[in-house]
Amino acid sequence: MPPPSSWWIATRPWSLSASAIGAFVACACSYTFHHSFHFGLFILTVVFVVMTHAGANLSNSFFDHKYGVDKPQTSADRTMFDLQLQAKHVMYFAAVCYIMATIGVNILIYKIGDIWFFLLSGFMAMLSIFYTAGPIKLKYLALGDLVIFLCYGPLLVLWCWYIQTRKWSWIPIYHSISIGLLTEAILWVNNARDVVTDRLANAKTLPQIIGPKATIVFYKALYLIAIIPPSFLVIFYGRYSMIIPLLVMPFCLPLIRDFEAQKWKTLDERTAQFGLMFAILYSV
């Protein structure tokens, strides 16, 4: 039996903040605009989304290995190679995470009793599962970036917002844009790093399609566009608290320099840390 640390590392814990920050931003918005915040629901929401994210990470590792995308000699994701985990271990653990999250979400669906919330929950679950699972395998069809932006940006924040407010609104969608872009930056680092191995495995990604120069431009654009929503609120609505997350933007410059120099080691982790720092300050 693999040691407990192997199970923990397999979930890629450094990335799990990407799902938690959606709940932070949604709850900050619900309190600011509707004076609605239920601490218990917030904790449950964070647990459910993080469990789903962990399950998605594990299934991603499993299917990347199954379809030959990840190989022992070249893969940056070492879940299937260095942690004493067999494929069945990873898939069982992913199933446990998904089942626990599903039980919790179904309780929420039952208590809320809204058909649109049910449909949104189901749609997000399908995107999570079929990100790498067959027969759709969205990640390998150059749709991974869109899926990640939607799942960790607009869809997640709207879902968490509705749990708190029981109201549908464009407010959480607007405030999710920057969060979704900075989360997408994590995947963009991975896809840019793995261009060669993904191509050999016949897995299409956007960096393959647009080429190395445009890939660098796109990475820079993710940070640049993320500045726009809070800046707009400062300039046109006088919401000066939105200046706070903008103060951390210079910290993305070392990330961009390392991306240009193809210094991939820990770049995805540091990109996730930057997104977490930005989101926490955005939620203030």
Side-chain angles (χ1 to χ4, degrees):
M1 179 65 66
S5 60
S6 293
W7 300 95
W8 171 244
I9 296 171
T11 65
R12 290 178 244 166
W14 58 266
S15 72
L16 299 180
S17 61
S19 51
I21 60 179
F24 295 161
V25 172
C27 290
C29 288
S30 68
Y31 181 78
T32 300
F33 294 99
H34 279 277
H35 304 291
S36 176
F37 177 73
H38 302 279
F39 183 74
L41 286 176
F42 167 72
I43 295 299
L44 289 175
T45 302
V46 171
V47 171
F48 297 155
V49 298
V50 169
M51 290 299 295
T52 303
H53 190 174
N57 282 348
L58 291 161
S59 62
N60 182 29
S61 296
F62 173 83
F63 286 111
D64 276 352
H65 177 260
K66 178 180 178 180
Y67 298 133
V69 177
D70 286 349
K71 299 181 183 300
Q73 300 84 0
T74 57
S75 176
D77 179 4
R78 309 306 300 172
T79 300
M80 306 299 298
F81 310 114
D82 298 344
L83 300 179
Q84 304 176 42
L85 293 171
Q86 299 177 23
K88 64 178 182 180
H89 293 146
V90 175
M91 206 58 224
Y92 289 160
F93 194 19
V96 169
C97 291
Y98 275 132
I99 290 170
M100 291 178 65
T102 300
I103 292 171
V105 171
N106 282 335
I107 292 173
L108 285 175
I109 291 172
Y110 176 77
K111 291 190 66 175
I112 292 173
D114 185 292
I115 184 62
W116 293 107
F117 181 76
F118 167 75
L119 292 175
L120 176 60
S121 301
F123 181 60
M124 293 170 64
M126 291 301 99
L127 289 178
S128 172
I129 293 169
F130 292 116
Y131 179 68
T132 48
I136 303 175
K137 297 182 282 188
L138 295 164
K139 175 184 174 181
Y140 309 139
L141 299 175
L143 294 173
D145 300 280
L146 177 62
V147 171
I148 292 301
F149 171 74
L150 291 175
C151 282
Y152 294 97
L155 297 182
L156 175 60
V157 177
L158 179 62
W159 187 81
C160 296
W161 157 281
Y162 190 81
I163 290 172
Q164 292 287 335
T165 66
R166 305 296 198 274
K167 297 179 184 294
W168 299 108
S169 172
W170 289 101
I171 292 173
I173 295 176
Y174 179 88
H175 286 280
S176 73
I177 294 173
S178 298
I179 307 306
L181 290 171
L182 295 180
T183 304
E184 157 58 14
I186 304 170
L187 177 65
W188 197 256
V189 170
N190 291 335
N191 286 345
R193 178 195 62 208
D194 297 339
V195 161
V196 175
T197 54
D198 285 345
R199 183 180 292 114
L200 291 173
N202 199 31
K204 294 182 180 179
T205 60
L206 282 180
Q208 291 179 39
I209 296 171
I210 66 178
K213 291 184 179 180
T215 295
I216 294 173
V217 172
F218 189 92
Y219 185 68
K220 294 177 180 178
L222 290 172
Y223 292 105
L224 182 62
I225 299 173
I227 296 173
I228 296 175
S231 299
F232 185 86
L233 293 175
V234 171
I235 295 170
F236 294 100
Y237 290 91
R239 296 191 65 85
Y240 297 112
S241 63
M242 288 289 101
I243 294 175
I244 298 174
L246 296 177
L247 296 177
V248 306
M249 291 310 294
F251 291 100
C252 75
L253 297 178
L255 303 177
I256 292 173
R257 286 195 294 267
D258 285 350
F259 189 94
E260 291 176 317
Q262 298 186 16
K263 296 180 179 179
W264 304 122
K265 187 175 182 180
T266 73
L267 183 55
D268 50 0
E269 297 181 27
R270 289 185 287 123
T271 301
Q273 290 167 2
F274 176 85
L276 175 62
M277 179 170 55
F278 180 93
I280 290 174
L281 296 178
Y282 194 103
S283 303
V284 172

